[in-house]
Amino acid sequence: MKQAGFFDVEERLARLSGLGDQLEAFSRTVDFEVFRPDLEKALAYSDGSKGGRPPFDPVLMFKILVIQTLNNLSDERTEYLINDRLSFMRFLGLGLSDRVPDAKTVWLFRERLTQAGAIDGLFNRFDATLRNAGYLPMSGQILDATLVAAPKQRNTNAEKADLREGRIPEDWQDKPAKLSHKDRHARWTLKFTKAKRQDDGTMPSSDLAIPFFGYKSHVSIDRKYRFIRKWKTTHAAASDGARLREGLLDKTNTASSVWADTAYRSKANEDFMEKQGFVSKVHRKKPHLKPMPRHIQKSNAGKSIIRSRVEHVFADQKSQTGLFVRTVGITRATMRIGLANIVYNNIVYNMRRFLFLERISANA
């Protein structure tokens, strides 16, 4: 084996840069220090006067969550790969001799942010960074939702009835260990998908309805830059349309148009948007037991060209992060989905967009 040289690490890092280290590009483009005030406020670390080992730097720990979410890693796998990969260490500012946070430390950091409800503040902090860079919400907004799976629960019908009513089943109340492993907030719903063509070339008469258990991620993106501007987490059975009136619309967008599919079409939503000064571009529904009028078909087709842009965000997010809720309860599910939206869509996807747009501006 060749003896290690003094400059071998630097040469290997230079090679990684030449191959296009995305994490290095992120470090150049985004100042992660902007998150420090929100992180320090949420974590509320002591001043160290009582002694003990000092905590890891909160910005370092937050960047670990970026790596973890981007690569869909468990806490244990995250610890291993930080020790193993030079690109990860460079992104985190760690040397070969520096101490790396272990899996438990990563879990405790994420849990502390969860309990402090820090997600909204971190999300708004990065959105403010985008706005300061000139990427204002423009050209209207697009709404949609996607299902996020969670581990299935094996509950009796009586237990399900209690959970739907917001009660804790009687058998669980004196079993804290069992209760801690039961997700009382996730719900079952039906996921409809287009039926596939059969072997003989014919199409089934009806589409498929697949049972689904978990949560739902609702987002609003701006049409111009396709950055996520608003988001919300609910159980899987929650109505998409009702979320429109629960803070999912961005009033700071420079245009008033709102695109969404037929799930958001209702009199309550149309009245709400009109009162708030928005212009509805929501798809119209097919009349009951009647064919769709030709002019409505053409109108919906035109809206679909614009509305479909939000699907790219969900597709990119799920293909890269393998979004799945492994925790128990909606608080941790909100943290998990929020991290996916913040760390991926608002730090990874949006940073990709940010880098792309910055390159266009530099070459113009």
Side-chain angles (χ1 to χ4, degrees):
M1 181 181 292
K2 180 183 176 182
Q3 184 176 359
F6 186 75
F7 296 104
D8 284 356
V9 172
E10 287 76 6
E11 291 174 357
R12 181 61 60 86
L13 288 173
R15 177 63 175 160
L16 290 173
S17 299
L19 292 171
D21 183 2
Q22 188 182 62
L23 291 176
E24 184 184 28
F26 291 166
S27 295
R28 290 197 308 265
T29 306
V30 176
D31 180 12
F32 282 90
E33 285 295 321
V34 300
F35 298 104
R36 185 177 294 279
D38 297 276
L39 292 170
E40 291 180 343
K41 180 180 179 181
L43 298 168
Y45 287 145
S46 66
D47 58 7
S49 59
K50 295 183 179 180
R53 175 179 285 183
F56 283 97
D57 181 73
V59 175
L60 163 69
M61 296 301 299
F62 185 67
K63 291 169 77 173
I64 289 177
L65 297 186
V66 173
I67 291 175
Q68 187 178 49
T69 305
L70 172 60
N71 296 279
N72 190 26
L73 302 174
S74 66
D75 295 335
E76 291 75 15
R77 189 64 176 168
T78 300
E79 177 188 357
Y80 173 81
L81 288 178
I82 292 173
N83 281 283
D84 182 65
R85 292 191 180 180
L86 289 175
S87 60
F88 285 11
M89 284 189 280
R90 176 167 63 180
F91 177 65
L92 298 173
L94 296 174
L96 292 175
S97 61
D98 291 327
R99 185 166 63 98
V100 173
D102 60 20
K104 183 65 173 180
T105 302
V106 175
W107 182 89
L108 287 172
F109 177 79
R110 187 175 57 251
E111 185 70 6
R112 198 156 185 173
L113 290 182
T114 300
Q115 299 304 323
I119 289 299
D120 286 336
L122 294 169
F123 182 95
N124 293 334
R125 180 69 65 177
F126 187 71
D127 186 62
T129 302
L130 291 174
R131 293 169 187 262
N132 292 337
Y135 298 104
L136 300 174
M138 300 177 68
S139 304
Q141 54 197 298
I142 309 170
L143 276 61
D144 205 356
T146 188
L147 293 168
V148 181
K152 297 180 178 64
Q153 302 286 295
R154 311 300 179 184
N155 301 325
T156 65
N157 290 334
E159 290 170 342
K160 293 177 182 178
D162 286 336
L163 293 175
R164 283 193 293 269
E165 296 296 327
R167 299 188 299 266
I168 299 177
E170 186 176 351
D171 292 343
W172 298 2
Q173 296 180 11
D174 57 350
K175 299 177 181 178
K178 182 176 182 178
L179 182 60
S180 66
H181 288 85
K182 288 292 187 179
D183 194 330
R184 291 173 283 148
H185 303 113
R187 293 289 183 272
W188 284 97
T189 189
L190 291 176
K191 180 179 180 180
F192 294 93
T193 184
K194 294 292 184 182
K196 296 182 180 179
R197 188 177 299 275
Q198 297 179 341
D199 294 338
D200 60 2
T202 61
M203 290 293 294
S205 58
S206 60
D207 291 333
L208 301 177
I210 303 172
F212 185 95
F213 183 80
Y215 293 91
K216 190 177 287 186
S217 172
H218 309 261
V219 304
S220 171
I221 69 170
D222 68 285
R223 179 188 173 190
K224 174 69 174 179
Y225 298 114
R226 284 179 279 177
F227 291 143
I228 293 178
R229 303 293 182 171
K230 299 286 184 180
W231 66 280
K232 188 178 182 68
T233 300
T234 65
H235 61 74
S239 166
D240 292 357
R243 307 289 82 77
L244 181 144
R245 306 189 301 275
E246 297 179 357
L248 206 58
L249 292 178
D250 184 9
K251 294 184 178 180
T252 66
N253 197 294
T254 59
S256 57
S257 298
V258 177
W259 285 266
D261 61 29
T262 55
Y264 296 85
R265 169 68 68 169
S266 69
K267 186 177 186 305
N269 282 349
E270 295 299 306
D271 291 344
F272 176 83
M273 285 188 284
E274 183 178 3
K275 185 178 296 185
Q276 296 294 322
F278 294 103
V279 177
S280 174
K281 301 288 186 179
V282 179
H283 280 47
R284 292 187 176 275
K285 298 179 180 179
K286 176 182 174 299
H288 184 59
L289 299 178
K290 295 181 180 179
M292 177 75 81
R294 182 68 176 174
H295 71 281
I296 294 181
Q297 287 184 20
K298 293 180 66 177
S299 175
N300 283 349
K303 294 172 182 176
S304 292
I305 296 174
I306 296 173
R307 194 200 66 79
S308 62
R309 296 177 183 179
V310 72
E311 302 291 351
H312 303 163
V313 176
F314 289 137
D316 202 17
Q317 182 185 56
K318 289 190 173 183
S319 66
Q320 295 293 327
T321 67
L323 186 56
F324 182 84
V325 173
R326 294 180 173 87
T327 54
V328 174
I330 195 167
T331 302
R332 291 188 178 94
T334 300
M335 181 68 184
R336 175 68 180 96
I337 294 172
L339 278 172
N341 286 337
I342 295 173
V343 176
Y344 185 71
N345 278 346
N346 279 284
I347 299 216
V348 177
Y349 176 77
N350 283 351
M351 281 196 296
R352 286 176 182 168
R353 293 277 305 159
F354 188 63
L355 288 167
F356 173 71
L357 294 168
E358 286 294 299
R359 286 197 298 269
I360 291 178
S361 298
N363 295 330

